[in-house]
Amino acid sequence: MNFSQLVNARSVRQEAESLYQSLQPLLSLDPRFADLILTDLGEIVRFCGRSNGEITANELLAYLTIYALIKQDREKLNAAFKTWDFSEVDRLKYQKITLQLLLDATKDRKTDPAQLDELLLPAVLNKLDEAKGTNYLKSTVNGIYQFAQVIVKSDGTITMQEMEALSQVWQRLHNYQTLNSYQDGLAKVTPLTPPSPSFGEAHEPPPSSSPPSASSPPSASSPPSPPPSCSRTARRQNPRRTGPDP
């Protein structure tokens, strides 16, 4: 990896860690939130990544990192934080593993690749906030949208197609399906079963990653603010892609 790719990979990991920290209260509230979050994030990563026809290596790294943090998967944590930048063999291997994770998480999506499926998490959080008087929805959707921005910028450029994809992500995060209760939404969550490949090489222990203690639920407040603008200028030509396509 060249210097620019290393910088972009570090930015992706930092944003994934930031999102993980913000999701801690939800993950502590109900274990089903882990698979619900990863399913919606998988849909977003796949949709944004394929807006230009191909998912890049750093876009895959984004999902691998947040998956490993949420699942506390030591082997994937090691791959994302230790060997990804310096071992081409490991990087290619975990790109394939992450592609399979994305396929598993989004296997029930609609057939039209130009449209982003409805996201279940915002609807569940909306009902949860109504029932508990909390404000999970606003902070979570803002964190996920920021994560989506980092995904599309992970190769150093933003195309018009990626800008349009971000617009759809914003709309899906703020226009959600109707549920009778948040428990009804959680009942729809499909457990994610990770692939079990044969890992031929031993890896050094992953970085210690002790999840922070869950904070108290935030208080209720106003509706979400308008989408933040991207800092880079959109480019119409497609950048060169490096990652494999699922």
Side-chain angles (χ1 to χ4, degrees), residues 1-14 57-58 61-62 64-65 76-92 94-95:
M1 297 178 70
N2 59 37
F3 179 74
S4 177
Q5 290 171 327
L6 288 171
V7 170
N8 289 334
R10 182 175 63 180
S11 176
V12 163
R13 283 190 292 264
Q14 288 175 340
N58 276 341
L61 174 61
L64 174 64
T65 305
K76 292 180 180 63
L77 282 169
N78 186 70
F81 286 93
K82 291 289 188 71
T83 64
W84 182 278
D85 292 352
F86 307 107
S87 170
E88 184 177 1
V89 172
D90 266 18
R91 187 163 59 251
L92 291 174
Y94 279 95
Q95 284 181 48

PDB file of all heavy atoms in Angstrom, residues 1-14 57-58 61-62 64-65 76-92 94-95:
ATOM      1  N   MET A   1       0.842  -1.194   0.000  1.00  0.00           N
ATOM      2  CA  MET A   1       0.000   0.000   0.000  1.00  0.00           C
ATOM      3  C   MET A   1       0.878   1.245   0.000  1.00  0.00           C
ATOM      4  O   MET A   1       1.889   1.302   0.698  1.00  0.00           O
ATOM      5  CB  MET A   1      -0.908   0.019   1.240  1.00  0.00           C
ATOM      6  CG  MET A   1      -1.902  -1.125   1.309  1.00  0.00           C
ATOM      7  SD  MET A   1      -2.911  -1.099   2.822  1.00  0.00           S
ATOM      8  CE  MET A   1      -3.939   0.343   2.509  1.00  0.00           C
ATOM      9  N   ASN A   2       0.481   2.244  -0.801  1.00  0.00           N
ATOM     10  CA  ASN A   2       1.238   3.483  -0.804  1.00  0.00           C
ATOM     11  C   ASN A   2       0.800   4.373   0.362  1.00  0.00           C
ATOM     12  O   ASN A   2      -0.122   4.041   1.114  1.00  0.00           O
ATOM     13  CB  ASN A   2       1.092   4.209  -2.145  1.00  0.00           C
ATOM     14  CG  ASN A   2      -0.355   4.556  -2.469  1.00  0.00           C
ATOM     15  OD1 ASN A   2      -1.138   4.899  -1.589  1.00  0.00           O
ATOM     16  ND2 ASN A   2      -0.710   4.464  -3.750  1.00  0.00           N
ATOM     17  N   PHE A   3       1.456   5.526   0.498  1.00  0.00           N
ATOM     18  CA  PHE A   3       1.197   6.389   1.651  1.00  0.00           C
ATOM     19  C   PHE A   3      -0.251   6.869   1.683  1.00  0.00           C
ATOM     20  O   PHE A   3      -0.899   6.881   2.739  1.00  0.00           O
ATOM     21  CB  PHE A   3       2.143   7.591   1.621  1.00  0.00           C
ATOM     22  CG  PHE A   3       1.934   8.546   2.766  1.00  0.00           C
ATOM     23  CD1 PHE A   3       2.362   8.222   4.045  1.00  0.00           C
ATOM     24  CD2 PHE A   3       1.291   9.760   2.563  1.00  0.00           C
ATOM     25  CE1 PHE A   3       2.159   9.095   5.105  1.00  0.00           C
ATOM     26  CE2 PHE A   3       1.086  10.641   3.616  1.00  0.00           C
ATOM     27  CZ  PHE A   3       1.527  10.307   4.891  1.00  0.00           C
ATOM     28  N   SER A   4      -0.789   7.253   0.529  1.00  0.00           N
ATOM     29  CA  SER A   4      -2.169   7.734   0.470  1.00  0.00           C
ATOM     30  C   SER A   4      -3.153   6.653   0.894  1.00  0.00           C
ATOM     31  O   SER A   4      -4.115   6.919   1.631  1.00  0.00           O
ATOM     32  CB  SER A   4      -2.494   8.210  -0.949  1.00  0.00           C
ATOM     33  OG  SER A   4      -3.844   8.612  -1.053  1.00  0.00           O
ATOM     34  N   GLN A   5      -2.922   5.435   0.451  1.00  0.00           N
ATOM     35  CA  GLN A   5      -3.799   4.327   0.832  1.00  0.00           C
ATOM     36  C   GLN A   5      -3.719   4.043   2.327  1.00  0.00           C
ATOM     37  O   GLN A   5      -4.725   3.730   2.963  1.00  0.00           O
ATOM     38  CB  GLN A   5      -3.430   3.079   0.028  1.00  0.00           C
ATOM     39  CG  GLN A   5      -3.781   3.170  -1.450  1.00  0.00           C
ATOM     40  CD  GLN A   5      -3.204   2.018  -2.255  1.00  0.00           C
ATOM     41  OE1 GLN A   5      -2.118   1.507  -1.954  1.00  0.00           O
ATOM     42  NE2 GLN A   5      -3.917   1.601  -3.280  1.00  0.00           N
ATOM     43  N   LEU A   6      -2.517   4.162   2.892  1.00  0.00           N
ATOM     44  CA  LEU A   6      -2.350   3.959   4.329  1.00  0.00           C
ATOM     45  C   LEU A   6      -3.114   5.009   5.129  1.00  0.00           C
ATOM     46  O   LEU A   6      -3.763   4.699   6.135  1.00  0.00           O
ATOM     47  CB  LEU A   6      -0.868   3.990   4.698  1.00  0.00           C
ATOM     48  CG  LEU A   6      -0.022   2.784   4.280  1.00  0.00           C
ATOM     49  CD1 LEU A   6       1.453   3.063   4.514  1.00  0.00           C
ATOM     50  CD2 LEU A   6      -0.450   1.537   5.047  1.00  0.00           C
ATOM     51  N   VAL A   7      -3.041   6.260   4.671  1.00  0.00           N
ATOM     52  CA  VAL A   7      -3.751   7.346   5.354  1.00  0.00           C
ATOM     53  C   VAL A   7      -5.257   7.118   5.289  1.00  0.00           C
ATOM     54  O   VAL A   7      -5.977   7.279   6.286  1.00  0.00           O
ATOM     55  CB  VAL A   7      -3.378   8.706   4.732  1.00  0.00           C
ATOM     56  CG1 VAL A   7      -4.292   9.813   5.269  1.00  0.00           C
ATOM     57  CG2 VAL A   7      -1.925   9.040   5.024  1.00  0.00           C
ATOM     58  N   ASN A   8      -5.752   6.732   4.110  1.00  0.00           N
ATOM     59  CA  ASN A   8      -7.186   6.491   3.957  1.00  0.00           C
ATOM     60  C   ASN A   8      -7.642   5.304   4.805  1.00  0.00           C
ATOM     61  O   ASN A   8      -8.734   5.329   5.389  1.00  0.00           O
ATOM     62  CB  ASN A   8      -7.524   6.245   2.489  1.00  0.00           C
ATOM     63  CG  ASN A   8      -7.406   7.496   1.643  1.00  0.00           C
ATOM     64  OD1 ASN A   8      -7.546   8.606   2.144  1.00  0.00           O
ATOM     65  ND2 ASN A   8      -7.137   7.327   0.357  1.00  0.00           N
ATOM     66  N   ALA A   9      -6.812   4.267   4.884  1.00  0.00           N
ATOM     67  CA  ALA A   9      -7.158   3.106   5.705  1.00  0.00           C
ATOM     68  C   ALA A   9      -7.229   3.492   7.181  1.00  0.00           C
ATOM     69  O   ALA A   9      -8.127   3.053   7.914  1.00  0.00           O
ATOM     70  CB  ALA A   9      -6.135   1.990   5.496  1.00  0.00           C
ATOM     71  N   ARG A  10      -6.304   4.313   7.622  1.00  0.00           N
ATOM     72  CA  ARG A  10      -6.323   4.759   9.019  1.00  0.00           C
ATOM     73  C   ARG A  10      -7.582   5.578   9.309  1.00  0.00           C
ATOM     74  O   ARG A  10      -8.209   5.421  10.365  1.00  0.00           O
ATOM     75  CB  ARG A  10      -5.077   5.594   9.322  1.00  0.00           C
ATOM     76  CG  ARG A  10      -5.003   6.050  10.782  1.00  0.00           C
ATOM     77  CD  ARG A  10      -3.705   6.759  11.075  1.00  0.00           C
ATOM     78  NE  ARG A  10      -3.573   7.977  10.290  1.00  0.00           N
ATOM     79  CZ  ARG A  10      -2.523   8.799  10.355  1.00  0.00           C
ATOM     80  NH1 ARG A  10      -1.497   8.490  11.147  1.00  0.00           N
ATOM     81  NH2 ARG A  10      -2.474   9.884   9.621  1.00  0.00           N
ATOM     82  N   SER A  11      -7.969   6.435   8.364  1.00  0.00           N
ATOM     83  CA  SER A  11      -9.173   7.239   8.539  1.00  0.00           C
ATOM     84  C   SER A  11     -10.413   6.359   8.643  1.00  0.00           C
ATOM     85  O   SER A  11     -11.310   6.608   9.463  1.00  0.00           O
ATOM     86  CB  SER A  11      -9.319   8.216   7.367  1.00  0.00           C
ATOM     87  OG  SER A  11     -10.517   8.946   7.460  1.00  0.00           O
ATOM     88  N   VAL A  12     -10.465   5.314   7.821  1.00  0.00           N
ATOM     89  CA  VAL A  12     -11.596   4.382   7.853  1.00  0.00           C
ATOM     90  C   VAL A  12     -11.687   3.694   9.212  1.00  0.00           C
ATOM     91  O   VAL A  12     -12.766   3.589   9.808  1.00  0.00           O
ATOM     92  CB  VAL A  12     -11.451   3.340   6.720  1.00  0.00           C
ATOM     93  CG1 VAL A  12     -12.355   2.139   6.967  1.00  0.00           C
ATOM     94  CG2 VAL A  12     -11.773   3.972   5.371  1.00  0.00           C
ATOM     95  N   ARG A  13     -10.562   3.231   9.721  1.00  0.00           N
ATOM     96  CA  ARG A  13     -10.567   2.549  11.021  1.00  0.00           C
ATOM     97  C   ARG A  13     -10.975   3.498  12.145  1.00  0.00           C
ATOM     98  O   ARG A  13     -11.721   3.119  13.058  1.00  0.00           O
ATOM     99  CB  ARG A  13      -9.191   1.942  11.300  1.00  0.00           C
ATOM    100  CG  ARG A  13      -8.918   0.654  10.532  1.00  0.00           C
ATOM    101  CD  ARG A  13      -7.644  -0.015  11.031  1.00  0.00           C
ATOM    102  NE  ARG A  13      -6.470   0.768  10.685  1.00  0.00           N
ATOM    103  CZ  ARG A  13      -5.714   0.548   9.603  1.00  0.00           C
ATOM    104  NH1 ARG A  13      -6.021  -0.423   8.767  1.00  0.00           N
ATOM    105  NH2 ARG A  13      -4.654   1.290   9.358  1.00  0.00           N
ATOM    106  N   GLN A  14     -10.484   4.719  12.094  1.00  0.00           N
ATOM    107  CA  GLN A  14     -10.830   5.691  13.131  1.00  0.00           C
ATOM    108  C   GLN A  14     -12.330   5.978  13.137  1.00  0.00           C
ATOM    109  O   GLN A  14     -12.948   6.069  14.204  1.00  0.00           O
ATOM    110  CB  GLN A  14     -10.042   6.986  12.916  1.00  0.00           C
ATOM    111  CG  GLN A  14      -8.561   6.867  13.244  1.00  0.00           C
ATOM    112  CD  GLN A  14      -7.780   8.130  12.908  1.00  0.00           C
ATOM    113  OE1 GLN A  14      -8.220   8.964  12.112  1.00  0.00           O
ATOM    114  NE2 GLN A  14      -6.614   8.276  13.509  1.00  0.00           N
ATOM    115  N   ALA A  57     -11.022  -1.747  -1.724  1.00  0.00           N
ATOM    116  CA  ALA A  57     -10.431  -2.429  -0.575  1.00  0.00           C
ATOM    117  C   ALA A  57     -10.732  -1.690   0.727  1.00  0.00           C
ATOM    118  O   ALA A  57     -11.060  -2.306   1.746  1.00  0.00           O
ATOM    119  CB  ALA A  57      -8.920  -2.564  -0.774  1.00  0.00           C
ATOM    120  N   ASN A  58     -10.620  -0.367   0.725  1.00  0.00           N
ATOM    121  CA  ASN A  58     -10.858   0.385   1.955  1.00  0.00           C
ATOM    122  C   ASN A  58     -12.333   0.412   2.342  1.00  0.00           C
ATOM    123  O   ASN A  58     -12.669   0.551   3.520  1.00  0.00           O
ATOM    124  CB  ASN A  58     -10.316   1.810   1.822  1.00  0.00           C
ATOM    125  CG  ASN A  58      -8.830   1.885   2.127  1.00  0.00           C
ATOM    126  OD1 ASN A  58      -8.265   0.991   2.754  1.00  0.00           O
ATOM    127  ND2 ASN A  58      -8.185   2.952   1.685  1.00  0.00           N
ATOM    128  N   LEU A  61     -12.617  -2.681   4.129  1.00  0.00           N
ATOM    129  CA  LEU A  61     -11.983  -2.514   5.438  1.00  0.00           C
ATOM    130  C   LEU A  61     -12.933  -1.840   6.424  1.00  0.00           C
ATOM    131  O   LEU A  61     -12.961  -2.188   7.607  1.00  0.00           O
ATOM    132  CB  LEU A  61     -10.703  -1.694   5.297  1.00  0.00           C
ATOM    133  CG  LEU A  61      -9.992  -1.309   6.604  1.00  0.00           C
ATOM    134  CD1 LEU A  61      -9.559  -2.551   7.374  1.00  0.00           C
ATOM    135  CD2 LEU A  61      -8.792  -0.407   6.307  1.00  0.00           C
ATOM    136  N   ALA A  62     -13.710  -0.875   5.946  1.00  0.00           N
ATOM    137  CA  ALA A  62     -14.660  -0.184   6.821  1.00  0.00           C
ATOM    138  C   ALA A  62     -15.638  -1.170   7.445  1.00  0.00           C
ATOM    139  O   ALA A  62     -15.895  -1.139   8.658  1.00  0.00           O
ATOM    140  CB  ALA A  62     -15.411   0.885   6.030  1.00  0.00           C
ATOM    141  N   LEU A  64     -15.293  -4.533   7.602  1.00  0.00           N
ATOM    142  CA  LEU A  64     -14.558  -5.512   8.404  1.00  0.00           C
ATOM    143  C   LEU A  64     -14.277  -4.959   9.799  1.00  0.00           C
ATOM    144  O   LEU A  64     -14.436  -5.664  10.809  1.00  0.00           O
ATOM    145  CB  LEU A  64     -13.243  -5.872   7.713  1.00  0.00           C
ATOM    146  CG  LEU A  64     -12.292  -6.793   8.493  1.00  0.00           C
ATOM    147  CD1 LEU A  64     -12.916  -8.167   8.712  1.00  0.00           C
ATOM    148  CD2 LEU A  64     -10.951  -6.916   7.776  1.00  0.00           C
ATOM    149  N   THR A  65     -13.879  -3.691   9.872  1.00  0.00           N
ATOM    150  CA  THR A  65     -13.522  -3.091  11.156  1.00  0.00           C
ATOM    151  C   THR A  65     -14.730  -2.976  12.078  1.00  0.00           C
ATOM    152  O   THR A  65     -14.672  -3.361  13.253  1.00  0.00           O
ATOM    153  CB  THR A  65     -12.892  -1.704  10.946  1.00  0.00           C
ATOM    154  OG1 THR A  65     -11.771  -1.813  10.061  1.00  0.00           O
ATOM    155  CG2 THR A  65     -12.418  -1.117  12.269  1.00  0.00           C
ATOM    156  N   LYS A  76     -10.547 -11.117  13.354  1.00  0.00           N
ATOM    157  CA  LYS A  76     -10.838 -10.034  12.413  1.00  0.00           C
ATOM    158  C   LYS A  76     -10.315  -8.693  12.932  1.00  0.00           C
ATOM    159  O   LYS A  76      -9.934  -7.823  12.147  1.00  0.00           O
ATOM    160  CB  LYS A  76     -12.336  -9.979  12.124  1.00  0.00           C
ATOM    161  CG  LYS A  76     -12.845 -11.183  11.332  1.00  0.00           C
ATOM    162  CD  LYS A  76     -14.327 -11.090  11.057  1.00  0.00           C
ATOM    163  CE  LYS A  76     -14.813 -12.300  10.261  1.00  0.00           C
ATOM    164  NZ  LYS A  76     -14.645 -13.566  11.007  1.00  0.00           N
ATOM    165  N   LEU A  77     -10.304  -8.513  14.244  1.00  0.00           N
ATOM    166  CA  LEU A  77      -9.681  -7.312  14.806  1.00  0.00           C
ATOM    167  C   LEU A  77      -8.199  -7.268  14.457  1.00  0.00           C
ATOM    168  O   LEU A  77      -7.655  -6.220  14.090  1.00  0.00           O
ATOM    169  CB  LEU A  77      -9.854  -7.289  16.327  1.00  0.00           C
ATOM    170  CG  LEU A  77     -11.226  -6.871  16.863  1.00  0.00           C
ATOM    171  CD1 LEU A  77     -11.322  -7.157  18.358  1.00  0.00           C
ATOM    172  CD2 LEU A  77     -11.491  -5.396  16.587  1.00  0.00           C
ATOM    173  N   ASN A  78      -7.549  -8.403  14.573  1.00  0.00           N
ATOM    174  CA  ASN A  78      -6.130  -8.474  14.235  1.00  0.00           C
ATOM    175  C   ASN A  78      -5.897  -8.149  12.764  1.00  0.00           C
ATOM    176  O   ASN A  78      -4.962  -7.423  12.408  1.00  0.00           O
ATOM    177  CB  ASN A  78      -5.589  -9.869  14.553  1.00  0.00           C
ATOM    178  CG  ASN A  78      -4.086  -9.962  14.351  1.00  0.00           C
ATOM    179  OD1 ASN A  78      -3.325  -9.379  15.104  1.00  0.00           O
ATOM    180  ND2 ASN A  78      -3.666 -10.689  13.325  1.00  0.00           N
ATOM    181  N   ALA A  79      -6.764  -8.683  11.906  1.00  0.00           N
ATOM    182  CA  ALA A  79      -6.621  -8.426  10.471  1.00  0.00           C
ATOM    183  C   ALA A  79      -6.839  -6.953  10.152  1.00  0.00           C
ATOM    184  O   ALA A  79      -6.082  -6.354   9.379  1.00  0.00           O
ATOM    185  CB  ALA A  79      -7.611  -9.288   9.690  1.00  0.00           C
ATOM    186  N   ALA A  80      -7.862  -6.352  10.746  1.00  0.00           N
ATOM    187  CA  ALA A  80      -8.196  -4.961  10.433  1.00  0.00           C
ATOM    188  C   ALA A  80      -7.167  -3.980  10.974  1.00  0.00           C
ATOM    189  O   ALA A  80      -6.821  -2.996  10.305  1.00  0.00           O
ATOM    190  CB  ALA A  80      -9.582  -4.622  10.988  1.00  0.00           C
ATOM    191  N   PHE A  81      -6.656  -4.248  12.188  1.00  0.00           N
ATOM    192  CA  PHE A  81      -5.791  -3.270  12.853  1.00  0.00           C
ATOM    193  C   PHE A  81      -4.295  -3.577  12.751  1.00  0.00           C
ATOM    194  O   PHE A  81      -3.478  -2.681  12.938  1.00  0.00           O
ATOM    195  CB  PHE A  81      -6.173  -3.160  14.333  1.00  0.00           C
ATOM    196  CG  PHE A  81      -7.451  -2.420  14.571  1.00  0.00           C
ATOM    197  CD1 PHE A  81      -8.653  -3.097  14.658  1.00  0.00           C
ATOM    198  CD2 PHE A  81      -7.459  -1.040  14.688  1.00  0.00           C
ATOM    199  CE1 PHE A  81      -9.844  -2.416  14.875  1.00  0.00           C
ATOM    200  CE2 PHE A  81      -8.639  -0.348  14.900  1.00  0.00           C
ATOM    201  CZ  PHE A  81      -9.840  -1.039  14.995  1.00  0.00           C
ATOM    202  N   LYS A  82      -3.935  -4.813  12.445  1.00  0.00           N
ATOM    203  CA  LYS A  82      -2.518  -5.167  12.466  1.00  0.00           C
ATOM    204  C   LYS A  82      -1.967  -5.564  11.095  1.00  0.00           C
ATOM    205  O   LYS A  82      -0.930  -5.057  10.673  1.00  0.00           O
ATOM    206  CB  LYS A  82      -2.293  -6.320  13.451  1.00  0.00           C
ATOM    207  CG  LYS A  82      -2.478  -5.951  14.915  1.00  0.00           C
ATOM    208  CD  LYS A  82      -1.358  -5.055  15.410  1.00  0.00           C
ATOM    209  CE  LYS A  82      -1.439  -4.849  16.912  1.00  0.00           C
ATOM    210  NZ  LYS A  82      -1.083  -6.055  17.661  1.00  0.00           N
ATOM    211  N   THR A  83      -2.621  -6.487  10.411  1.00  0.00           N
ATOM    212  CA  THR A  83      -2.005  -7.064   9.213  1.00  0.00           C
ATOM    213  C   THR A  83      -2.508  -6.475   7.902  1.00  0.00           C
ATOM    214  O   THR A  83      -1.881  -6.676   6.865  1.00  0.00           O
ATOM    215  CB  THR A  83      -2.223  -8.595   9.182  1.00  0.00           C
ATOM    216  OG1 THR A  83      -3.628  -8.877   9.062  1.00  0.00           O
ATOM    217  CG2 THR A  83      -1.690  -9.240  10.450  1.00  0.00           C
ATOM    218  N   TRP A  84      -3.632  -5.771   7.921  1.00  0.00           N
ATOM    219  CA  TRP A  84      -4.219  -5.249   6.682  1.00  0.00           C
ATOM    220  C   TRP A  84      -3.245  -4.356   5.918  1.00  0.00           C
ATOM    221  O   TRP A  84      -3.094  -4.473   4.701  1.00  0.00           O
ATOM    222  CB  TRP A  84      -5.493  -4.479   7.004  1.00  0.00           C
ATOM    223  CG  TRP A  84      -6.219  -3.944   5.802  1.00  0.00           C
ATOM    224  CD1 TRP A  84      -5.955  -2.792   5.114  1.00  0.00           C
ATOM    225  CD2 TRP A  84      -7.330  -4.554   5.130  1.00  0.00           C
ATOM    226  NE1 TRP A  84      -6.830  -2.634   4.070  1.00  0.00           N
ATOM    227  CE2 TRP A  84      -7.684  -3.703   4.059  1.00  0.00           C
ATOM    228  CE3 TRP A  84      -8.057  -5.722   5.340  1.00  0.00           C
ATOM    229  CZ2 TRP A  84      -8.746  -3.992   3.194  1.00  0.00           C
ATOM    230  CZ3 TRP A  84      -9.113  -6.010   4.484  1.00  0.00           C
ATOM    231  CH2 TRP A  84      -9.446  -5.155   3.426  1.00  0.00           C
ATOM    232  N   ASP A  85      -2.580  -3.461   6.608  1.00  0.00           N
ATOM    233  CA  ASP A  85      -1.729  -2.469   5.949  1.00  0.00           C
ATOM    234  C   ASP A  85      -0.432  -3.057   5.399  1.00  0.00           C
ATOM    235  O   ASP A  85       0.137  -2.502   4.453  1.00  0.00           O
ATOM    236  CB  ASP A  85      -1.371  -1.343   6.925  1.00  0.00           C
ATOM    237  CG  ASP A  85      -2.575  -0.492   7.295  1.00  0.00           C
ATOM    238  OD1 ASP A  85      -3.645  -0.669   6.681  1.00  0.00           O
ATOM    239  OD2 ASP A  85      -2.449   0.347   8.211  1.00  0.00           O
ATOM    240  N   PHE A  86       0.033  -4.157   5.975  1.00  0.00           N
ATOM    241  CA  PHE A  86       1.392  -4.597   5.671  1.00  0.00           C
ATOM    242  C   PHE A  86       1.492  -5.992   5.066  1.00  0.00           C
ATOM    243  O   PHE A  86       2.570  -6.394   4.639  1.00  0.00           O
ATOM    244  CB  PHE A  86       2.240  -4.535   6.949  1.00  0.00           C
ATOM    245  CG  PHE A  86       2.185  -3.194   7.620  1.00  0.00           C
ATOM    246  CD1 PHE A  86       1.481  -3.017   8.798  1.00  0.00           C
ATOM    247  CD2 PHE A  86       2.800  -2.091   7.044  1.00  0.00           C
ATOM    248  CE1 PHE A  86       1.408  -1.769   9.403  1.00  0.00           C
ATOM    249  CE2 PHE A  86       2.735  -0.842   7.643  1.00  0.00           C
ATOM    250  CZ  PHE A  86       2.037  -0.674   8.826  1.00  0.00           C
ATOM    251  N   SER A  87       0.407  -6.731   5.032  1.00  0.00           N
ATOM    252  CA  SER A  87       0.438  -8.071   4.454  1.00  0.00           C
ATOM    253  C   SER A  87      -0.555  -8.152   3.304  1.00  0.00           C
ATOM    254  O   SER A  87      -1.767  -8.166   3.521  1.00  0.00           O
ATOM    255  CB  SER A  87       0.095  -9.128   5.516  1.00  0.00           C
ATOM    256  OG  SER A  87      -0.089 -10.394   4.911  1.00  0.00           O
ATOM    257  N   GLU A  88      -0.041  -8.206   2.092  1.00  0.00           N
ATOM    258  CA  GLU A  88      -0.932  -8.293   0.934  1.00  0.00           C
ATOM    259  C   GLU A  88      -1.718  -9.595   0.939  1.00  0.00           C
ATOM    260  O   GLU A  88      -2.888  -9.628   0.549  1.00  0.00           O
ATOM    261  CB  GLU A  88      -0.129  -8.178  -0.365  1.00  0.00           C
ATOM    262  CG  GLU A  88      -1.003  -8.172  -1.615  1.00  0.00           C
ATOM    263  CD  GLU A  88      -0.197  -7.987  -2.886  1.00  0.00           C
ATOM    264  OE1 GLU A  88       1.039  -7.886  -2.792  1.00  0.00           O
ATOM    265  OE2 GLU A  88      -0.811  -7.947  -3.966  1.00  0.00           O
ATOM    266  N   VAL A  89      -1.092 -10.662   1.404  1.00  0.00           N
ATOM    267  CA  VAL A  89      -1.775 -11.957   1.466  1.00  0.00           C
ATOM    268  C   VAL A  89      -2.985 -11.873   2.391  1.00  0.00           C
ATOM    269  O   VAL A  89      -4.096 -12.294   2.042  1.00  0.00           O
ATOM    270  CB  VAL A  89      -0.805 -13.057   1.941  1.00  0.00           C
ATOM    271  CG1 VAL A  89      -1.561 -14.358   2.197  1.00  0.00           C
ATOM    272  CG2 VAL A  89       0.292 -13.278   0.908  1.00  0.00           C
ATOM    273  N   ASP A  90      -2.781 -11.325   3.588  1.00  0.00           N
ATOM    274  CA  ASP A  90      -3.892 -11.188   4.529  1.00  0.00           C
ATOM    275  C   ASP A  90      -4.949 -10.218   4.008  1.00  0.00           C
ATOM    276  O   ASP A  90      -6.150 -10.439   4.178  1.00  0.00           O
ATOM    277  CB  ASP A  90      -3.377 -10.696   5.886  1.00  0.00           C
ATOM    278  CG  ASP A  90      -3.083 -11.846   6.830  1.00  0.00           C
ATOM    279  OD1 ASP A  90      -2.958 -12.985   6.336  1.00  0.00           O
ATOM    280  OD2 ASP A  90      -2.972 -11.607   8.044  1.00  0.00           O
ATOM    281  N   ARG A  91      -4.495  -9.138   3.390  1.00  0.00           N
ATOM    282  CA  ARG A  91      -5.446  -8.143   2.891  1.00  0.00           C
ATOM    283  C   ARG A  91      -6.375  -8.755   1.849  1.00  0.00           C
ATOM    284  O   ARG A  91      -7.592  -8.559   1.889  1.00  0.00           O
ATOM    285  CB  ARG A  91      -4.691  -6.945   2.308  1.00  0.00           C
ATOM    286  CG  ARG A  91      -5.605  -5.790   1.919  1.00  0.00           C
ATOM    287  CD  ARG A  91      -4.821  -4.503   1.743  1.00  0.00           C
ATOM    288  NE  ARG A  91      -3.782  -4.589   0.739  1.00  0.00           N
ATOM    289  CZ  ARG A  91      -2.481  -4.599   1.001  1.00  0.00           C
ATOM    290  NH1 ARG A  91      -2.059  -4.545   2.261  1.00  0.00           N
ATOM    291  NH2 ARG A  91      -1.589  -4.661   0.033  1.00  0.00           N
ATOM    292  N   LEU A  92      -5.822  -9.508   0.917  1.00  0.00           N
ATOM    293  CA  LEU A  92      -6.645 -10.147  -0.110  1.00  0.00           C
ATOM    294  C   LEU A  92      -7.564 -11.201   0.507  1.00  0.00           C
ATOM    295  O   LEU A  92      -8.729 -11.338   0.110  1.00  0.00           O
ATOM    296  CB  LEU A  92      -5.750 -10.777  -1.178  1.00  0.00           C
ATOM    297  CG  LEU A  92      -4.978  -9.794  -2.064  1.00  0.00           C
ATOM    298  CD1 LEU A  92      -4.023 -10.539  -2.986  1.00  0.00           C
ATOM    299  CD2 LEU A  92      -5.933  -8.924  -2.872  1.00  0.00           C
ATOM    300  N   TYR A  94      -8.810 -11.283   3.571  1.00  0.00           N
ATOM    301  CA  TYR A  94      -9.900 -10.690   4.341  1.00  0.00           C
ATOM    302  C   TYR A  94     -10.822  -9.828   3.483  1.00  0.00           C
ATOM    303  O   TYR A  94     -11.953  -9.555   3.883  1.00  0.00           O
ATOM    304  CB  TYR A  94      -9.347  -9.919   5.537  1.00  0.00           C
ATOM    305  CG  TYR A  94      -9.019 -10.855   6.673  1.00  0.00           C
ATOM    306  CD1 TYR A  94      -7.740 -11.354   6.840  1.00  0.00           C
ATOM    307  CD2 TYR A  94     -10.017 -11.282   7.545  1.00  0.00           C
ATOM    308  CE1 TYR A  94      -7.442 -12.241   7.858  1.00  0.00           C
ATOM    309  CE2 TYR A  94      -9.732 -12.170   8.568  1.00  0.00           C
ATOM    310  CZ  TYR A  94      -8.447 -12.648   8.724  1.00  0.00           C
ATOM    311  OH  TYR A  94      -8.165 -13.541   9.725  1.00  0.00           O
ATOM    312  N   GLN A  95     -10.362  -9.408   2.322  1.00  0.00           N
ATOM    313  CA  GLN A  95     -11.298  -8.794   1.381  1.00  0.00           C
ATOM    314  C   GLN A  95     -12.354  -9.812   0.970  1.00  0.00           C
ATOM    315  O   GLN A  95     -13.552  -9.508   0.914  1.00  0.00           O
ATOM    316  CB  GLN A  95     -10.553  -8.280   0.148  1.00  0.00           C
ATOM    317  CG  GLN A  95      -9.782  -6.986   0.374  1.00  0.00           C
ATOM    318  CD  GLN A  95      -9.091  -6.508  -0.889  1.00  0.00           C
ATOM    319  OE1 GLN A  95      -9.701  -6.461  -1.950  1.00  0.00           O
ATOM    320  NE2 GLN A  95      -7.827  -6.159  -0.775  1.00  0.00           N
TER     321      GLN A  95
END
